[in-house]
Amino acid sequence: MILLLMNLFAKKRINFFLFFFLIWTSVILLRLYQITAVDSDYFLNYFKGKTWKTGTIPALRGRLLDRNGQLIAWSVRKFSLYYKVTTGNKDSVDIDLQKLNKLIQIQLSLVDDAATNSLVLLKSNLKPVELLKLERFMKDNPQFYVKSYFEREKFNDRRDVKRIIGRTSIQKDNEIGVSGLERQFNDRLVGKDGKYRVMIDKNNEWILETWKEIQPPVPGFDVYLANSI
Amino acid sequence: MNQVRNKAKKIISILIIISSFFMIGANKMSTQMNFRKAKGAEVLERIKLWHNQIAFEVPKDMQLEWQKIGNTYPCQLLRGCSIEHSESEL
């Protein structure tokens, strides 16, 4: 009798396990079917969407100082916001600018007379907070873009002093000395750009773990002058 | 009885094999996740270093603000300074 009961109980247990396995297998098979057949396009696009990008950070130009360590010329990194007029339709330009105006204050009249395909400077010397807000905004609105640039400051605005110090110009996003002391010491003053490589997803976001430094940025050397200006 | 016992043994063996596969998979996944986390943290530290370097290049009245915001969003600010090229453009 006991043996019969045990047998019956064991059979029930086996049936229970078999039933459980059947459900489990069905769930796994259904999921596999969903991934490989139903959502295959989505997954294929997702993986295809990932691409590698490289980035360059232009290096800071070195400073010019006199023999007492007083600054004579130095560079400052600034950011400007530009708008590319892609259409002659004034209404669509107005809509773009009003969207932007909700984030940062700009003069709406700046684009009024701009021709199609021209670049319009909307705001210079952006603050870090504005830069952050724009980073997200620009992903959906590629007609706006921020450009980082260097501005060479001088300790004195006198014309003769400026002539001795010389001028720099931006060539391939780097400051190059084209006259005066800036040109004379250009090799020492010019830095080495930083370079990195990163994978981006289909939303144009960095996949952080894939970020790799290829070359660290090296600012240019400071040059101390033997004579005062 | 022996037949039932044998069936039970078979089922348990299959269960153990399937569980082992799942265990190996889960273990691999968790190792990979930990590796990605560690790698992400390491990368973030390097990005922060770049970011701090740039913080000294901006106008003086913005340096403090740049540094403060950069602790939370170093990647976004770094992207703002960089010129990105896709691989095909190289």
Side-chain angles (χ1 to χ4, degrees):
Chain A
M1 183 68 182
I2 296 166
L3 274 173
L4 197 75
L5 270 174
M6 273 177 72
N7 205 347
L8 202 72
F9 184 67
K11 265 187 180 172
K12 268 189 179 175
R13 208 164 46 179
I14 288 164
N15 284 342
F16 171 76
F17 273 122
L18 282 174
F19 180 68
F20 175 74
F21 267 115
L22 196 74
I23 290 178
W24 191 9
T25 317
S26 319
V27 169
I28 291 170
L29 285 175
L30 273 172
R31 185 78 183 117
L32 279 173
Y33 176 73
Q34 192 193 357
I35 290 169
T36 52
V38 182
D39 293 334
S40 61
D41 286 345
Y42 167 79
F43 285 105
L44 277 172
N45 285 335
Y46 178 77
F47 288 111
K48 272 182 194 166
K50 286 179 181 172
T51 46
W52 284 99
K53 275 201 168 184
T54 50
T56 311
I57 305 271
L60 182 74
R61 189 173 169 82
R63 302 172 300 174
L64 278 172
L65 303 106
D66 71 8
R67 60 181 167 186
N68 301 317
Q70 283 287 91
L71 281 170
I72 290 173
W74 65 99
S75 292
V76 180
R77 190 189 284 274
K78 289 183 178 174
F79 302 89
S80 292
L81 174 66
Y82 291 88
Y83 177 68
K84 189 170 185 183
V85 187
T86 49
T87 168
N89 185 352
K90 198 177 175 305
D91 288 342
S92 105
V93 174
D94 281 346
I95 292 169
D96 280 349
L97 293 179
Q98 273 160 11
K99 271 194 280 182
L100 175 74
N101 213 26
K102 284 178 190 164
L103 287 177
I104 59 167
Q105 290 294 311
I106 51 150
Q107 274 184 298
L108 293 174
S109 59
L110 283 169
V111 193
D112 278 355
D113 303 321
T116 310
N117 286 330
S118 62
L119 272 178
V120 183
L121 173 66
L122 295 177
K123 196 168 187 180
S124 52
N125 209 6
L126 291 166
K127 290 177 183 167
V129 180
E130 293 171 326
L131 202 66
L132 269 183
K133 284 180 188 169
L134 289 168
E135 161 85 18
R136 287 162 215 155
F137 175 75
M138 284 184 306
K139 276 176 195 152
D140 304 323
N141 302 279
Q143 61 276 37
F144 294 94
Y145 76 93
V146 168
K147 202 169 179 213
S148 149
Y149 63 99
F150 288 112
E151 220 172 65
R152 200 71 174 158
E153 309 267 345
K154 293 180 179 78
F155 83 109
N156 197 320
D157 277 340
R158 266 174 37 206
R159 190 182 280 184
D160 55 334
V161 173
K162 274 179 158 180
R163 203 177 57 238
I164 296 168
I165 296 170
R167 279 191 319 110
T168 56
S169 78
I170 305 287
Q171 289 172 18
K172 289 183 184 171
D173 296 302
N174 279 310
E175 286 180 296
I176 305 292
V178 288
S179 65
L181 295 169
E182 295 282 9
R183 187 180 175 187
Q184 190 183 339
F185 297 108
N186 190 56
D187 290 348
R188 306 275 307 156
L189 290 166
V190 91
K192 215 174 177 186
D193 293 347
K195 282 190 184 112
Y196 62 82
R197 189 172 185 244
V198 70
M199 195 184 253
I200 54 159
D201 64 18
K202 65 186 175 78
N203 299 318
N204 207 22
E205 297 280 356
W206 280 5
I207 301 169
L208 192 64
E209 308 86 69
T210 61
W211 188 91
K212 197 179 173 190
E213 181 184 85
I214 300 171
Q215 188 178 296
V218 183
F221 288 107
D222 288 344
V223 172
Y224 287 79
L225 304 171
N227 303 316
S228 301
I229 292 177
Chain B
M1 189 65 191
N2 275 343
Q3 229 178 353
V4 173
R5 205 174 279 169
N6 284 341
K7 262 191 181 176
K9 271 184 191 170
K10 267 183 193 171
I11 289 172
I12 289 168
S13 317
I14 292 167
L15 227 170
I16 290 169
I17 291 166
I18 291 172
S19 313
S20 319
F21 275 115
F22 276 106
M23 281 288 283
I24 292 165
N27 202 22
K28 264 193 173 179
M29 280 275 281
S30 91
T31 315
Q32 189 67 21
M33 287 292 281
N34 286 339
F35 174 75
R36 283 182 70 162
K37 262 188 199 171
K39 181 86 179 149
E42 193 184 296
V43 157
L44 199 64
E45 282 308 306
R46 193 72 203 112
I47 288 175
K48 277 186 179 174
L49 278 179
W50 273 42
H51 178 271
N52 286 336
Q53 189 170 326
I54 293 165
F56 287 104
E57 300 171 1
V58 299
K60 273 194 174 152
D61 58 321
M62 287 181 199
Q63 283 182 358
L64 200 66
E65 192 186 354
W66 179 275
Q67 277 171 333
K68 265 188 199 170
I69 294 177
N71 287 329
T72 326
Y73 307 104
C75 299
Q76 274 93 333
L77 289 180
L78 188 73
R79 277 190 90 168
C81 313
S82 76
I83 305 147
E84 282 186 9
H85 328 266
S86 63
E87 287 281 77
S88 54
E89 282 173 23
L90 287 175

